[in-house]
Amino acid sequence: SHQCFSSSSTNAIIEQTTDSLQEQGFSVYAHRLVSESTYRSLHKRIPKLFAGEFETGVYPDEWHWREGISKQNGVTREMCNVWKSDRLVASIVLQESLGKLVAQIMDWPSVRIAQDDLIWKPPCVSTIDNNNSVVGFHQDSAYISSQFEPYENNSVTVWMALDDTDEETGCIQYAVGSHKWKEGESNEDVETLSSATFHGSGAESYQDSLPSSNNMSNATIVSAPVSQGYALFHHQNVWHGSGPNLSATRHRRALVGHYLRGDVHFADPESAPRQTPWGQASYIYGRYKRFQSVEVDESFFPVIYASPGQGQERTIWLDDYIYS
């Protein structure tokens, strides 16, 4: 079964991770988060998921590349909110000990899951495949943080490597310190620029979505290799992407958890039109916003960890769902 290391014995590592998040915008967590038995089980499960075999019968919220339907085999394959479709995935991204670790690193009273993200870059078999297995530079905040209030530091990403990832297989690259860039430093619509580029890039252009104004074009881009079973934590506003998988034999698979402060609410200004239930919410989040309410529903964004005495508790049905 999946195990997280006990956060009570890693205070120095938690502090180091927090400091790196604040200064660089990302950090490799120094302890393994996904056990060998778990990532090997996921290796067997992932092809079945992309073939449409969903244990619970519930489809994920996003599904890019389908076995037997999609023509291009070399594209980056992605699913979002697989926790609703598969209990093995749920047992990892909804684990209470992982939520506690996130809460300690972020100094949050409680933690919800915003969404998960299953990403699969298959081995390169042709130049065309090589060109398509990229992820354009973007900020997670454009998809996630902007949906909720308060906005500042309301989300964080935990990127868990299911294979050894390096430059050959297209590991994540970061624009160091880009989480500190201010919107006013760019004349471009940063949120639109970011949210439009995840799948819309090629091997020669996946970094082109970085804002080009002022000092942004001089960003230091670094690669962040991660060993199998280990994880990256990164800031909601850091610009990041990844190049193609150039290996002819190695897969590059990752399970990503995007987490929210447990006490956020939907961003829906009183001045905004209220003609639809989703109001100002967009992307997949608008599906789960109720009419004339900014409450974040635990049915869709369960609380995976809550500090004692903070007025929230871990969502009551989670453990029955995961282990049933």
Side-chain angles (χ1 to χ4, degrees):
S1 63
H2 172 67
Q3 296 179 348
C4 279
F5 279 81
S6 171
S7 56
S8 62
S9 63
T10 58
N11 290 337
I13 294 175
I14 289 171
E15 184 177 346
Q16 175 187 350
T17 304
T18 301
D19 290 345
S20 183
L21 269 177
Q22 293 174 349
E23 291 302 314
Q24 305 294 318
F26 65 96
S27 179
V28 178
Y29 189 67
H31 278 170
R32 183 188 299 273
L33 289 187
V34 183
S35 67
E36 181 178 358
S37 63
T38 299
Y39 64 66
R40 293 196 182 280
S41 295
L42 278 170
H43 289 172
K44 297 177 182 178
R45 187 70 55 89
I46 288 172
K48 295 179 180 179
L49 289 168
F50 281 91
E53 297 181 25
F54 302 123
E55 175 194 12
T56 66
V58 176
Y59 278 38
D61 279 323
E62 281 196 56
W63 183 1
H64 299 274
W65 193 86
R66 302 187 184 195
E67 179 71 42
I69 296 177
S70 301
K71 294 182 179 180
Q72 292 181 313
N73 288 325
V75 296
T76 297
R77 306 170 185 184
E78 181 193 24
M79 287 182 171
C80 294
N81 279 334
V82 192
W83 69 263
K84 301 175 185 178
S85 310
D86 187 87
R87 288 182 176 86
L88 177 60
V89 172
S91 71
I92 302 169
V93 298
L94 303 180
Q95 185 165 343
E96 187 171 19
S97 58
L98 179 57
K100 182 177 181 180
L101 177 62
V102 170
Q104 290 178 308
I105 289 171
M106 298 301 292
D107 193 25
W108 290 346
S110 57
V111 178
R112 295 180 186 269
I113 188 163
Q115 66 175 78
D116 64 39
D117 204 354
L118 184 62
I119 302 175
W120 177 14
K121 293 186 181 186
C124 173
V125 296
S126 72
T127 303
I128 294 176
D129 284 351
N130 167 20
N131 191 58
N132 287 315
S133 63
V134 302
V135 173
F137 264 64
H138 63 283
Q139 296 169 300
D140 292 341
S141 57
Y143 299 87
I144 302 168
S145 303
S146 61
Q147 313 283 340
F148 302 97
E149 293 178 344
Y151 173 85
E152 191 72 22
N153 289 326
N154 70 8
S155 76
V156 70
T157 295
V158 184
W159 195 97
M160 293 170 274
L162 305 178
D163 302 287
D164 290 337
T165 67
D166 49 40
E167 291 189 356
E168 182 187 40
T169 60
C171 64
I172 292 190
Q173 297 175 332
Y174 292 100
V176 178
S178 57
H179 62 302
K180 298 179 181 179
W181 292 348
K182 295 180 176 60
E183 289 186 28
E185 293 177 356
S186 174
N187 295 323
E188 299 161 279
D189 185 339
V190 172
E191 182 174 319
T192 300
L193 185 65
S194 176
S195 61
T197 56
F198 191 98
H199 288 282
S201 305
E204 303 301 323
S205 62
Y206 71 96
Q207 294 183 359
D208 289 354
S209 52
L210 280 168
S212 58
S213 301
N214 297 342
N215 294 327
M216 297 180 182
S217 59
N218 297 319
T220 299
I221 307 297
V222 300
S223 296
V226 188
S227 298
Q228 196 171 45
Y230 286 77
L232 285 157
F233 283 70
H234 70 236
H235 193 280
Q236 65 186 41
N237 292 329
V238 72
W239 285 85
H240 61 287
S242 58
N245 184 357
L246 300 176
S247 173
T249 58
R250 298 164 59 203
H251 292 266
R252 196 278 239 168
R253 293 160 289 199
L255 179 60
V256 186
H258 299 285
Y259 296 100
L260 290 166
R261 278 186 63 114
D263 55 359
V264 296
H265 58 81
F266 276 106
D268 193 14
E270 290 296 326
S271 60
R274 290 175 174 266
Q275 298 172 345
T276 59
W278 49 88
Q280 300 303 294
S282 60
Y283 185 44
I284 58 179
Y285 294 90
R287 301 173 183 174
Y288 305 112
K289 183 181 177 299
R290 297 198 297 269
F291 183 59
Q292 293 190 345
S293 172
V294 295
E295 181 184 353
V296 179
D297 194 326
E298 285 188 53
S299 298
F300 311 111
F301 307 99
V303 176
I304 68 167
Y305 172 77
S307 301
Q310 298 293 331
Q312 284 185 310
E313 295 181 353
R314 177 171 165 86
T315 295
I316 192 170
W317 51 266
L318 280 183
D319 292 329
D320 284 342
Y321 166 63
I322 292 170
Y323 301 113
S324 63

